[in-house]
Every structure is written in C-alpha cells, then in structure tokens.
Amino acid sequence: MTTAFHRLDPAGGCPHAANARLLAEGPLAPIELPGGVEGMAVLGHEALKEFLTHPEVAKSAAHFTALRDGRVPDGWPLATFATVPGMTTADGADHRRLRTLVSRAFTTPRVEELRPRIRELTDTLLDDLERAAEDGGGVADLRRHVALPLPMGVIGELLGVEPERRDRLHHLTDQIVATDLSPEQVIDANRELAAVLAEFAAAKAEAPGPDLTSALIAARDEDGDRLSHAELIGTLLLMVVAGHETTLNLIANAVRALCGHRDQLARVRAGDADWGDVVEETLRWDAPVSYFPFRYPVRDLAVGGTVIPAGTPVLAGYTAAGRDPAAHGLDADRFDVTRRSRPDAVRHLSLGHGAHYCLGAPLARVEATIALERLFTRFPDLDLAVPEAELPRQPSFVSNGVRELPVRLRG
C-alpha cells in the first residue's frame, strides 16, 4: 500500500486546521518536505514527549540518510537547521560542552537581573508605538514597533551587537526560517548571514567587551577546548534566531489571542489569572514554532504505534501537540488563561523537552510577560485593526506567526 504523505506548504499559513485533521488519524504523520524529501512529524503530545527524550534519537545530520546519500537538493530551505554547527545539531558530550559555554547567560537569576532593562526598553518601544499610531490615524504595526525590536534589542545587547547591525540580522534570519525561498535565495542568505556574523565575531575578537560574544570567544571548557570558528558562528546564528524570532511570535500571538478573546483579558484584569498564565496558554494554544527540524532515529523506532525508519528527518509538531485533545482535553482548541490552574492540567511542550529544552525559555517568558502587562496597562482598549483572518502569515511552516500586526490603540 502506498503511504499518503502530507505535503507541508512552503508558504506557511495557519497550521491548526491541518494539524487537527492529521491528529485525528494518529499521533504521527508522514510528511513531504520541500524538494520531495520524505520525513515524519510527531504531532501527539505523549508521542512527542517520548520522542524528544528517546535515547536512540539523534540531532546530528550524520544520521540523516537522504542528506548523506546526496538526495537533498542544493539550496534546500531547511539545510541550515540540519547542518549548522552548534548545540542544536550536536549530541552527547558535544552537546553538553556547547550548551555549558552558553548557559550561564540564560540562568533564571541572570534573567531576573535583566528585568529593569527589559521594562525600560518596553516602555521606550511603547512610546514609539504611540507615535506611530498618531501618524497612522490611530493604527500602528505592533509587530514592527514592539514584538520584534524588544527581543531583538535584548539579545542584541546580550551579544554586543550594535543597533545598526540588528536590522540586517533580522532580515537574514527571517530568510533562514522561511520555507518558500528559491535555492538561489537560500544559498545567498546563508552566505551573507555567515559573512555578517564572521565580521561581527572578528570585530569582537579585536575589541572584546562585557558581552556574551566576547565571553564565548575567550571561554574554554574544563578540558581547555574553545569553540571552533564554525561552532562560534553557528552558536551566534542560533542565539540570534532563537533569541528573537520565537519571542517575537510569542508576543504577537498572545496579543492576537487576547484581542480575539476579550473575556480572557477580562479574567486577567479581574485577578483570575496573571500575565504569566497568558504566556503559558499562548505557548500551548498557538506555539511560536510550528514544526521544528530535525531529529533522526538511529534505528527503526516505534513511537506512538508508528515505526519511524532509521535516518528519517523528523519534525517536532509543537502547534499540533499544544492542541492535542488526548492531553489537553476536549476543549484543547479553546484559549483559556486559567487552564494551568486546573488540577488535571498538562504542561505544554512548546519550548521543548529533555536535554535540548530551550535554553532561552526564562528570558522569553520574562520578555513576553513584561511586554503584555505594560502594553495592556497603557492601552487597555487595544484591539486588532483588521480581522484576524486578514493578517498576513509568515511564509514558513517552521515559524508560526504573522508578518504584520496592525492594532488600534484606543477605541
């Protein structure tokens, strides 16, 4: 019998309707990636939790059969996710070494120290948003003026990236997470991003500062090893992408959810839930990452009643798992900011699980919580300026977000 592969749309779009159809058939789905590459997506919550921690699942592309055999085309839009040197493509001791070198900057105490600066930056951006709305007849793009520059500003300051270099980095990383580019565009974007990061790293090596990039260049692990040049560039790329693209979507998706569910916003204001609850429910209900590449079984592996052949590229279906009724109940499609206070509440997986759990999770949570609290306190009547269905989506099945978020600040 011929396997029916679900083709992931390179143009992206809202993932939830397709996720529901696939989940109704089972917790895993065979998928067709760009270039006709066959893969698998893990969609069910329990299956994904099992898969993310399975000892015979690897992150290294050395296990990616189609890539190893030359069946992945040049300029493949997902190549960076598979091959960039760094902690997201490393296993075992290599992964622990790379993660340890970075992790000190993202501990909960270190993130708490950043709270005053995040508040200050947020308030400055809200001033910008208000000025833009005054110039735009009461409407401004919240993505452009708040959701994007807040996490980009914070990660930029942590890494020591000059403000004038950040816009270019965002443009290039946007292309890295896009899945609709031509092979030529993919090759050009990757080449330019590597060059920009190499130039930045060289400048930091010449003139170190009190920033994470300088620390990474100087750091040695307990065996005396430094990051190789390729690992340094790969680590910087990862931190720029993960350090702002995910939080950008989290903030924008939370604003969209609250504008579409005014009763839930009222519950926060009434004290039935707090802004941290909004962040957690947004992570579950509309995860900022939809299908994250890649993991590979090192042998044929049975997960959720389905066998995944060794070497298959597998995507973690976070948006699907977040609305899996088997884990989150028959009302899993409902946005409910009081959900995590229920006795039977199941913790979402949207920031990962196991050894590769998102290193920047504490920072993302603090940024989003502060942004939402200050935004809706200052502009209590804020609402979408266009219907939800008309918001343009990001051209990606990896990233789950919108390209613009026009809002009206006052009724």
Side-chain angles (χ1 to χ4, degrees), residues 104-159:
R104 297 183 193 93
F106 297 99
T107 62
T108 298
R110 175 68 182 110
V111 169
E112 286 301 314
E113 292 174 11
L114 294 173
R115 271 187 185 272
R117 176 56 184 147
I118 295 171
R119 289 195 193 99
E120 179 185 21
L121 181 54
T122 299
D123 289 341
T124 299
L125 294 173
L126 293 181
D127 291 341
D128 295 342
L129 181 70
E130 187 158 28
R131 282 191 291 269
E134 290 169 357
D135 294 340
V139 174
D141 183 354
L142 189 139
R143 183 187 192 274
R144 175 185 175 188
H145 292 286
V146 179
L148 164 58
L150 175 60
M152 191 64 186
V154 173
I155 196 66
E157 290 181 7
L158 277 174
L159 292 174

Side-chain angles (χ1 to χ4, degrees), residues 18-340:
N19 286 345
R21 289 195 298 271
L22 293 172
L23 262 175
E25 297 176 10
L28 280 78
I31 55 171
E32 180 186 322
L33 298 165
V37 177
E38 296 178 357
M40 190 76 74
V42 186
L43 310 166
H45 175 94
E46 286 302 323
L48 182 57
K49 190 174 181 180
E50 175 189 353
F51 184 76
L52 292 176
T53 55
H54 201 290
E56 293 182 286
V57 170
K59 291 283 279 179
S60 168
H63 301 280
F64 187 173
T65 302
L67 183 66
R68 190 179 62 226
D69 294 350
R71 292 185 279 115
V72 173
D74 291 339
W76 196 48
L78 300 169
T80 300
F81 291 101
T83 61
V84 62
M87 69 185 80
T88 60
T89 56
D91 296 304
D94 243 4
H95 172 252
R96 288 190 293 273
R97 172 178 64 88
L98 294 166
R99 191 175 174 100
T100 299
L101 288 171
V102 177
S103 61
R104 297 183 193 93
F106 297 99
T107 62
T108 298
R110 175 68 182 110
V111 169
E112 286 301 314
E113 292 174 11
L114 294 173
R115 271 187 185 272
R117 176 56 184 147
I118 295 171
R119 289 195 193 99
E120 179 185 21
L121 181 54
T122 299
D123 289 341
T124 299
L125 294 173
L126 293 181
D127 291 341
D128 295 342
L129 181 70
E130 187 158 28
R131 282 191 291 269
E134 290 169 357
D135 294 340
V139 174
D141 183 354
L142 189 139
R143 183 187 192 274
R144 175 185 175 188
H145 292 286
V146 179
L148 164 58
L150 175 60
M152 191 64 186
V154 173
I155 196 66
E157 290 181 7
L158 277 174
L159 292 174
V161 178
E162 311 92 319
E164 59 270 19
R165 207 189 295 257
R166 294 173 196 168
D167 284 348
R168 190 64 191 155
L169 281 174
H170 169 68
H171 171 73
L172 291 169
T173 56
D174 242 11
Q175 292 184 296
I176 296 301
V177 299
T179 49
D180 69 338
L181 300 185
S182 69
E184 294 76 20
Q185 289 173 309
V186 171
I187 291 168
D188 288 347
N190 277 279
R191 183 182 294 126
E192 184 177 355
L193 181 56
V196 169
L197 290 173
E199 178 186 343
F200 166 66
K204 282 293 170 188
E206 280 288 315
D211 53 71
L212 181 54
T213 304
S214 300
L216 288 173
I217 292 169
R220 295 177 184 272
D221 68 10
E222 59 188 16
D223 295 321
D225 290 332
R226 277 184 172 157
L227 288 171
S228 69
H229 177 73
E231 288 172 339
L232 175 64
I233 300 306
T235 298
L236 291 175
L237 187 155
L238 166 66
M239 288 195 292
V240 171
V241 173
H244 87 284
E245 290 277 356
T246 305
T247 309
L248 151 61
N249 287 347
L250 173 56
I251 294 170
N253 290 358
V255 171
R256 289 167 48 227
L258 289 169
C259 288
H261 300 81
R262 308 300 295 193
D263 61 319
Q264 298 301 306
L265 182 56
R267 299 194 80 165
V268 178
R269 288 178 171 147
D272 297 333
D274 60 29
W275 294 106
D277 294 322
V278 174
V279 169
E280 295 309 313
E281 181 66 350
T282 302
L283 285 165
R284 181 200 70 83
W285 187 76
D286 205 14
V289 174
S290 193
Y291 289 98
F292 191 76
F294 285 116
R295 285 174 168 81
Y296 319 92
V298 300
R299 63 169 178 83
D300 292 357
L301 203 64
V303 176
T306 298
V307 175
I308 310 174
T312 299
V314 182
L315 283 75
Y318 291 123
T319 50
R323 296 198 188 188
D324 181 3
H328 300 289
L330 296 179
D331 67 344
D333 279 339
R334 187 165 68 89
F335 182 74
D336 177 5
V337 296
T338 67
R339 185 180 299 269
R340 73 168 175 166

